[in-house]
Amino acid sequence: METRVAVIGIIVEDMDSVDELNALLHEFGRHIVGRMGIPYREKDIHIISIAVDAPQDIISTLSGKIGNLKGVSAKTAYSHVITKD
């Protein structure tokens, strides 16, 4: 199976979606390499970056599910690094 390294950038504007977001991140946790969260209190938003190493379809699925949460935006940047797992 081929995996790719990617970063999912997430902006949370609706704190009511945080529990659902954390559940998704827990569900896909085995593919997550690292996570950094920054509360931007002046703008009342939270900025999160997730580094993942997973098959392309898993990354797309996770990013899509995150982006479908109310008040949450997600964009993914892919590396050109593809490895056999």
XYZ file of all heavy atoms in Angstrom:
650
model
N 0.844 -1.172 0.000
C 0.000 0.000 0.000
C 0.896 1.245 0.000
O 1.870 1.309 0.732
C -0.900 -0.042 1.239
C -1.593 1.232 1.542
S -2.792 1.179 2.891
C -2.199 -0.044 4.005
N 0.562 2.224 -0.829
C 1.328 3.472 -0.894
C 0.730 4.501 0.053
O -0.484 4.635 0.146
C 1.316 4.033 -2.314
C 2.102 3.205 -3.290
C 2.161 3.836 -4.666
O 1.332 4.706 -4.991
O 3.047 3.446 -5.440
N 1.607 5.215 0.736
C 1.160 6.296 1.610
C 1.805 7.597 1.180
O 2.858 7.602 0.536
C 1.498 6.015 3.090
O 2.915 5.996 3.266
C 0.896 4.714 3.567
N 1.149 8.693 1.552
C 1.672 10.034 1.265
C 1.739 10.818 2.558
O 0.973 10.574 3.481
C 0.755 10.783 0.297
C 0.763 10.181 -1.091
C -0.011 11.009 -2.049
N 0.765 12.201 -2.401
C 0.360 13.106 -3.274
N -0.805 12.965 -3.881
N 1.100 14.139 -3.573
N 2.612 11.769 2.588
C 2.701 12.688 3.714
C 1.954 13.953 3.311
O 2.108 14.451 2.190
C 4.172 13.004 4.064
C 4.255 14.060 5.153
C 4.898 11.735 4.477
N 1.122 14.438 4.219
C 0.340 15.645 3.938
C 0.112 16.422 5.233
O 0.294 15.895 6.340
C -1.006 15.264 3.324
N -0.285 17.666 5.060
C -0.674 18.512 6.185
C -2.100 18.983 5.930
O -2.407 19.481 4.844
C 0.256 19.738 6.331
C -0.232 20.658 7.438
C 1.675 19.299 6.594
N -2.954 18.811 6.924
C -4.324 19.314 6.845
C -4.395 20.546 7.732
O -4.147 20.469 8.941
C -5.353 18.262 7.303
C -5.212 16.976 6.484
C -6.777 18.830 7.199
C -6.067 15.822 6.987
N -4.695 21.684 7.118
C -4.879 22.930 7.852
C -6.352 23.092 8.180
O -7.201 22.980 7.296
N -6.656 23.340 9.446
C -8.037 23.412 9.905
C -8.263 24.732 10.634
O -7.441 25.135 11.460
C -8.342 22.252 10.881
C -8.031 20.901 10.233
C -9.781 22.308 11.382
C -7.966 19.749 11.210
N -9.390 25.377 10.337
C -9.797 26.564 11.082
C -11.175 26.291 11.666
O -12.109 25.945 10.936
C -9.817 27.822 10.197
C -8.405 28.122 9.704
C -10.404 29.010 10.973
C -8.275 29.335 8.839
N -11.268 26.424 12.984
C -12.524 26.170 13.686
C -13.126 27.509 14.092
O -12.533 28.250 14.872
C -12.301 25.289 14.939
C -13.618 25.040 15.663
C -11.632 23.983 14.558
N -14.293 27.808 13.537
C -15.005 29.035 13.865
C -16.202 28.782 14.773
O -16.707 29.697 15.397
C -15.467 29.722 12.580
C -14.318 30.143 11.691
C -14.775 30.711 10.353
O -15.990 30.750 10.093
O -13.897 31.109 9.570
N -16.680 27.545 14.819
C -17.835 27.177 15.639
C -17.393 26.128 16.661
O -17.197 24.968 16.331
C -18.954 26.618 14.754
C -20.241 26.361 15.512
O -20.204 26.252 16.762
O -21.292 26.263 14.865
N -17.258 26.559 17.903
C -16.764 25.673 18.953
C -17.706 24.504 19.239
O -17.301 23.520 19.850
C -16.499 26.475 20.231
C -15.365 27.485 20.080
S -13.831 26.759 19.447
C -13.410 25.685 20.795
N -18.944 24.578 18.787
C -19.877 23.466 18.974
C -19.462 22.235 18.173
O -19.958 21.135 18.432
C -21.301 23.878 18.576
C -21.903 24.895 19.533
O -21.447 24.968 20.696
O -22.831 25.615 19.123
N -18.569 22.396 17.215
C -18.114 21.279 16.380
C -16.842 20.612 16.903
O -16.376 19.642 16.317
C -17.874 21.765 14.945
O -19.087 22.178 14.368
N -16.308 21.100 18.002
C -15.026 20.596 18.497
C -15.108 19.124 18.903
O -14.185 18.350 18.614
C -14.512 21.465 19.667
C -13.339 20.818 20.381
C -14.117 22.842 19.153
N -16.182 18.716 19.550
C -16.296 17.309 19.952
C -16.305 16.385 18.737
O -15.644 15.341 18.740
C -17.546 17.080 20.798
C -17.424 17.683 22.194
O -16.286 17.916 22.653
O -18.478 17.918 22.824
N -17.038 16.778 17.694
C -17.067 15.974 16.468
C -15.691 15.940 15.802
O -15.261 14.896 15.292
C -18.093 16.528 15.484
C -19.533 16.350 15.910
C -20.468 17.037 14.938
O -20.749 18.230 15.149
O -20.890 16.373 13.972
N -15.007 17.080 15.791
C -13.666 17.145 15.207
C -12.709 16.229 15.962
O -11.978 15.443 15.353
C -13.146 18.586 15.221
C -11.700 18.789 14.773
C -11.482 18.298 13.359
C -11.304 20.247 14.917
N -12.734 16.303 17.284
C -11.841 15.452 18.075
C -12.164 13.974 17.883
O -11.256 13.139 17.855
C -11.905 15.834 19.551
C -11.113 17.094 19.832
O -10.116 17.368 19.182
N -11.566 17.877 20.798
N -13.439 13.633 17.715
C -13.821 12.242 17.458
C -13.242 11.764 16.124
O -12.742 10.634 16.025
C -15.338 12.095 17.475
N -13.303 12.619 15.100
C -12.718 12.267 13.800
C -11.209 12.074 13.909
O -10.651 11.118 13.367
C -13.017 13.348 12.762
C -14.383 13.333 12.118
C -14.568 14.572 11.252
C -14.553 12.076 11.278
N -10.547 12.979 14.608
C -9.095 12.873 14.746
C -8.722 11.608 15.522
O -7.732 10.951 15.211
C -8.534 14.128 15.414
C -8.699 15.418 14.613
C -8.148 16.602 15.400
C -8.055 15.318 13.251
N -9.533 11.254 16.495
C -9.293 10.007 17.237
C -9.494 8.792 16.323
O -8.696 7.856 16.340
C -10.217 9.931 18.450
C -10.060 8.672 19.229
N -8.974 8.444 20.049
C -10.820 7.559 19.286
C -9.092 7.242 20.583
N -10.204 6.678 20.147
N -10.549 8.843 15.517
C -10.857 7.739 14.596
C -9.712 7.485 13.608
O -9.407 6.352 13.260
C -12.146 8.060 13.837
C -12.563 7.028 12.825
C -13.809 7.444 12.049
O -14.540 8.351 12.491
O -14.031 6.852 10.970
N -9.077 8.563 13.140
C -7.997 8.456 12.154
C -6.616 8.570 12.809
O -5.616 8.769 12.127
C -8.156 9.543 11.086
C -9.300 9.307 10.145
C -10.586 9.671 10.483
C -9.089 8.697 8.916
C -11.657 9.454 9.620
C -10.139 8.469 8.040
C -11.428 8.848 8.400
N -6.572 8.446 14.124
C -5.348 8.680 14.899
C -4.139 7.882 14.474
O -3.011 8.368 14.562
N -4.341 6.678 13.976
C -3.170 5.857 13.601
C -2.428 6.437 12.404
O -1.278 6.072 12.144
C -3.578 4.423 13.339
C -4.487 4.256 12.160
C -4.995 2.828 12.079
N -6.046 2.761 11.076
C -6.102 1.858 10.145
N -5.172 0.924 10.075
N -7.074 1.858 9.279
N -3.065 7.342 11.662
C -2.434 7.959 10.493
C -1.836 9.332 10.815
O -1.155 9.914 9.976
C -3.456 8.123 9.367
C -4.091 6.844 8.946
N -3.405 5.852 8.280
C -5.344 6.373 9.120
C -4.212 4.830 8.045
N -5.397 5.132 8.550
N -2.113 9.837 12.007
C -1.660 11.182 12.375
C -0.246 11.115 12.946
O 0.029 10.387 13.892
C -2.633 11.838 13.371
C -3.986 12.057 12.682
C -2.069 13.156 13.902
C -5.085 12.580 13.594
N 0.646 11.895 12.340
C 2.041 11.963 12.773
C 2.186 12.987 13.895
O 2.919 12.790 14.857
C 2.966 12.336 11.586
C 4.402 12.492 12.041
C 2.846 11.311 10.479
N 1.476 14.101 13.774
C 1.552 15.159 14.777
C 0.428 16.153 14.604
O -0.231 16.211 13.565
N 0.210 16.935 15.661
C -0.892 17.906 15.672
C -0.442 19.138 16.439
O 0.205 19.035 17.481
C -2.093 17.270 16.363
C -3.216 18.206 16.672
C -4.329 17.463 17.394
N -5.382 18.390 17.778
C -6.542 18.032 18.280
N -6.810 16.754 18.479
N -7.444 18.921 18.598
N -0.802 20.314 15.899
C -0.511 21.563 16.593
C -1.765 22.418 16.566
O -2.366 22.609 15.501
C 0.636 22.322 15.916
C 0.944 23.650 16.578
S 2.294 24.569 15.806
C 1.641 24.867 14.182
N -2.174 22.906 17.712
C -3.349 23.766 17.784
C -2.997 25.119 18.373
O -2.217 25.209 19.328
N -3.569 26.151 17.775
C -3.319 27.520 18.239
C -4.649 28.216 18.450
O -5.396 28.444 17.484
C -2.492 28.315 17.198
C -1.183 27.600 16.897
C -2.257 29.741 17.680
C -0.468 28.133 15.685
N -4.977 28.573 19.695
C -6.185 29.370 19.907
C -5.884 30.828 19.576
O -4.954 31.417 20.114
C -6.475 29.189 21.400
C -5.153 28.870 22.014
C -4.332 28.189 20.934
N -6.641 31.387 18.654
C -6.456 32.791 18.265
C -7.608 33.566 18.899
O -8.635 33.825 18.280
C -6.456 32.902 16.750
C -5.995 34.228 16.186
C -5.903 34.402 14.815
C -5.657 35.306 16.999
C -5.486 35.604 14.263
C -5.242 36.505 16.468
C -5.160 36.655 15.096
O -4.763 37.844 14.560
N -7.431 33.885 20.154
C -8.504 34.468 20.960
C -9.004 35.807 20.431
O -10.191 36.095 20.516
C -8.049 34.583 22.407
C -7.890 33.233 23.064
C -7.446 33.329 24.525
N -7.278 32.007 25.088
C -6.154 31.304 25.037
N -5.089 31.805 24.434
N -6.090 30.108 25.578
N -8.114 36.604 19.880
C -8.521 37.921 19.376
C -9.549 37.806 18.249
O -10.365 38.691 18.041
C -7.309 38.713 18.878
C -6.367 39.161 19.980
C -5.370 38.072 20.390
O -5.315 37.011 19.723
O -4.670 38.274 21.389
N -9.495 36.714 17.498
C -10.416 36.491 16.376
C -11.487 35.458 16.715
O -12.349 35.165 15.893
C -9.656 36.024 15.126
C -8.593 36.979 14.657
C -9.193 38.210 14.038
C -8.062 39.088 13.516
N -8.544 40.266 12.836
N -11.420 34.875 17.914
C -12.357 33.855 18.376
C -12.407 32.648 17.437
O -13.474 32.140 17.107
C -13.760 34.453 18.567
C -14.641 33.585 19.446
O -14.100 32.871 20.312
O -15.877 33.612 19.256
N -11.214 32.214 16.998
C -11.099 31.016 16.169
C -9.954 30.159 16.703
O -9.162 30.615 17.531
C -10.842 31.332 14.676
C -9.520 32.081 14.480
C -12.009 32.092 14.073
C -9.123 32.269 13.028
N -9.886 28.932 16.221
C -8.787 28.038 16.554
C -8.185 27.529 15.254
O -8.900 27.155 14.327
C -9.279 26.871 17.410
C -9.732 27.314 18.759
N -8.921 27.318 19.856
C -10.914 27.817 19.177
C -9.575 27.778 20.891
N -10.797 28.098 20.495
N -6.853 27.524 15.200
C -6.119 27.089 14.017
C -5.392 25.797 14.384
O -4.659 25.751 15.377
C -5.109 28.166 13.577
C -5.838 29.491 13.338
C -4.341 27.706 12.345
C -4.936 30.695 13.329
N -5.612 24.753 13.584
C -5.026 23.451 13.869
C -4.333 22.941 12.611
O -4.867 23.056 11.511
C -6.111 22.441 14.297
C -6.875 22.962 15.515
C -5.504 21.073 14.586
C -8.147 22.198 15.814
N -3.149 22.369 12.787
C -2.494 21.692 11.666
C -2.260 20.241 12.066
O -1.840 19.954 13.188
C -1.181 22.375 11.286
O -0.280 22.330 12.353
N -2.571 19.353 11.134
C -2.441 17.923 11.352
C -1.490 17.368 10.293
O -1.745 17.505 9.094
C -3.809 17.206 11.206
C -4.870 17.844 12.089
C -3.667 15.716 11.484
C -4.655 17.676 13.556
N -0.402 16.749 10.726
C 0.507 16.067 9.805
C 0.088 14.607 9.742
O -0.100 13.961 10.786
C 1.951 16.182 10.290
N -0.112 14.104 8.518
C -0.558 12.721 8.345
C 0.349 11.966 7.371
O 0.988 12.565 6.513
C -2.025 12.644 7.840
C -2.984 13.189 8.879
C -2.202 13.373 6.536
N 0.379 10.661 7.533
C 1.067 9.764 6.614
C 0.107 8.608 6.390
O -0.071 7.752 7.264
C 2.378 9.276 7.226
C 3.206 8.441 6.260
O 2.738 8.203 5.114
O 4.308 8.018 6.642
N -0.567 8.615 5.232
C -1.645 7.662 4.981
C -1.864 7.512 3.487
O -1.372 8.321 2.692
C -2.930 8.166 5.637
N -2.630 6.491 3.098
C -3.012 6.381 1.689
C -3.830 7.611 1.262
O -4.528 8.227 2.076
C -3.871 5.114 1.650
C -3.437 4.325 2.839
C -3.088 5.352 3.878
N -3.726 7.956 -0.010
C -4.410 9.124 -0.565
C -5.900 9.151 -0.211
O -6.433 10.183 0.179
C -4.240 9.129 -2.090
C -5.026 10.203 -2.819
C -4.384 11.559 -2.705
O -3.174 11.663 -2.805
N -5.188 12.588 -2.517
N -6.593 8.024 -0.328
C -8.026 8.012 -0.067
C -8.357 8.272 1.395
O -9.362 8.911 1.709
C -8.674 6.709 -0.554
C -8.120 5.470 0.112
O -6.923 5.470 0.488
O -8.872 4.485 0.257
N -7.504 7.829 2.305
C -7.715 8.081 3.734
C -7.555 9.571 4.027
O -8.357 10.157 4.755
C -6.734 7.251 4.597
C -6.955 5.762 4.380
C -6.829 7.636 6.066
C -8.230 5.208 4.943
N -6.530 10.182 3.459
C -6.300 11.619 3.667
C -7.488 12.414 3.132
O -7.994 13.312 3.806
C -4.986 12.079 3.001
C -3.789 11.369 3.628
C -4.829 13.596 3.118
C -2.478 11.563 2.880
N -7.939 12.080 1.941
C -9.074 12.785 1.336
C -10.339 12.606 2.158
O -11.109 13.553 2.339
C -9.313 12.276 -0.087
O -8.217 12.571 -0.907
N -10.562 11.401 2.650
C -11.742 11.137 3.463
C -11.722 11.954 4.747
O -12.714 12.589 5.110
C -11.841 9.626 3.802
O -11.967 8.902 2.581
C -13.019 9.336 4.705
N -10.595 11.942 5.435
C -10.481 12.705 6.680
C -10.685 14.186 6.429
O -11.470 14.838 7.110
C -9.125 12.456 7.339
C -8.826 13.289 8.589
C -9.884 13.077 9.667
C -7.435 12.970 9.117
N -10.003 14.728 5.434
C -10.125 16.152 5.129
C -11.557 16.520 4.757
O -12.080 17.554 5.197
C -9.166 16.523 3.993
O -9.198 17.904 3.743
N -12.206 15.680 3.978
C -13.587 15.939 3.583
C -14.536 15.913 4.759
O -15.422 16.776 4.881
N -14.370 14.941 5.653
C -15.236 14.854 6.833
C -15.038 16.059 7.741
O -15.996 16.589 8.297
C -14.967 13.561 7.600
C -15.515 12.335 6.907
C -15.309 11.083 7.738
C -15.965 9.888 7.074
N -16.024 8.718 7.954
N -13.787 16.495 7.893
C -13.511 17.674 8.717
C -14.164 18.905 8.093
O -14.815 19.691 8.778
C -11.996 17.886 8.886
C -11.399 16.769 9.744
C -11.697 19.255 9.497
C -9.886 16.753 9.779
N -13.994 19.067 6.792
C -14.554 20.230 6.101
C -16.069 20.276 6.095
O -16.658 21.338 5.908
N -16.723 19.129 6.308
C -18.185 19.087 6.353
C -18.758 19.436 7.721
O -19.975 19.566 7.861
C -18.696 17.705 5.924
C -18.656 17.532 4.431
O -18.787 18.486 3.674
N -18.456 16.298 3.986
N -17.894 19.596 8.717
C -18.382 19.981 10.036
C -18.819 21.442 10.020
O -18.205 22.286 9.349
C -17.289 19.784 11.090
C -16.819 18.351 11.333
C -15.640 18.342 12.306
C -17.955 17.498 11.859
N -19.863 21.745 10.767
C -20.398 23.113 10.830
C -19.349 24.068 11.419
O -18.802 23.819 12.489
C -21.657 23.122 11.703
C -22.301 24.467 11.844
C -23.559 24.363 12.692
C -24.058 25.735 13.046
N -23.867 26.042 14.454
N -19.053 25.123 10.686
C -18.132 26.143 11.175
C -16.679 25.723 11.169
O -15.858 26.304 11.871
N -16.341 24.713 10.354
C -14.961 24.226 10.280
C -14.524 24.205 8.823
O -15.246 23.729 7.954
C -14.833 22.801 10.883
C -13.396 22.308 10.782
C -15.313 22.781 12.327
N -13.328 24.739 8.552
C -12.744 24.723 7.206
C -11.490 23.865 7.228
O -10.758 23.863 8.224
C -12.348 26.133 6.770
O -13.449 27.000 6.819
N -11.242 23.150 6.122
C -10.042 22.320 6.035
C -9.474 22.362 4.625
O -10.223 22.316 3.649
C -10.364 20.875 6.424
N -8.173 22.457 4.539
C -7.448 22.388 3.267
C -6.250 21.474 3.462
O -5.628 21.458 4.523
C -6.952 23.770 2.818
C -8.049 24.762 2.519
C -8.802 24.362 1.285
C -9.898 25.385 1.020
N -10.782 24.991 -0.033
N -5.915 20.737 2.418
C -4.829 19.767 2.508
C -3.718 20.107 1.527
O -3.975 20.424 0.369
C -5.369 18.348 2.208
O -6.466 18.081 3.082
C -4.293 17.314 2.405
N -2.490 20.030 2.008
C -1.304 20.186 1.172
C -0.560 18.859 1.184
O -0.246 18.321 2.256
C -0.411 21.302 1.721
N -0.287 18.319 -0.008
C 0.351 17.027 -0.148
C 1.836 17.183 -0.493
O 2.191 18.036 -1.298
C -0.317 16.214 -1.271
C -1.734 15.832 -0.979
C -2.786 16.643 -1.397
C -2.027 14.670 -0.297
C -4.111 16.282 -1.147
C -3.340 14.297 -0.037
C -4.369 15.111 -0.460
O -5.658 14.767 -0.204
N 2.644 16.317 0.093
C 4.046 16.270 -0.316
C 4.142 15.365 -1.545
O 3.213 14.684 -1.903
C 4.912 15.691 0.818
O 4.731 14.287 0.877
N 5.307 15.390 -2.149
C 5.552 14.496 -3.296
C 6.164 13.177 -2.818
O 6.491 12.326 -3.642
C 6.481 15.176 -4.297
C 5.851 16.378 -4.931
N 4.853 16.289 -5.861
C 6.073 17.697 -4.736
C 4.477 17.505 -6.235
N 5.203 18.378 -5.571
N 6.281 13.028 -1.509
C 6.845 11.817 -0.931
C 5.785 10.727 -0.888
O 4.777 10.861 -0.198
C 7.407 12.080 0.484
C 7.930 10.797 1.110
C 8.494 13.144 0.443
N 5.990 9.675 -1.654
C 5.086 8.522 -1.670
C 5.938 7.304 -1.303
O 6.980 7.056 -1.918
C 4.438 8.327 -3.046
C 3.618 9.577 -3.413
C 3.571 7.083 -3.052
C 3.073 9.557 -4.817
N 5.488 6.572 -0.300
C 6.249 5.400 0.152
C 5.362 4.171 0.185
O 4.149 4.265 0.298
C 6.836 5.635 1.572
O 5.780 5.945 2.461
C 7.839 6.756 1.565
N 6.003 3.041 0.077
C 5.298 1.750 0.228
C 5.262 1.449 1.713
O 6.270 1.513 2.401
C 6.046 0.641 -0.518
C 6.125 0.838 -1.988
C 4.958 0.193 -2.669
C 5.186 0.258 -4.177
N 3.999 0.069 -4.913
N 4.084 1.108 2.182
C 3.931 0.801 3.618
C 3.994 -0.681 3.833
O 3.574 -1.483 3.072
C 2.595 1.351 4.107
C 2.476 1.300 5.606
O 3.509 1.288 6.283
O 1.336 1.285 6.090
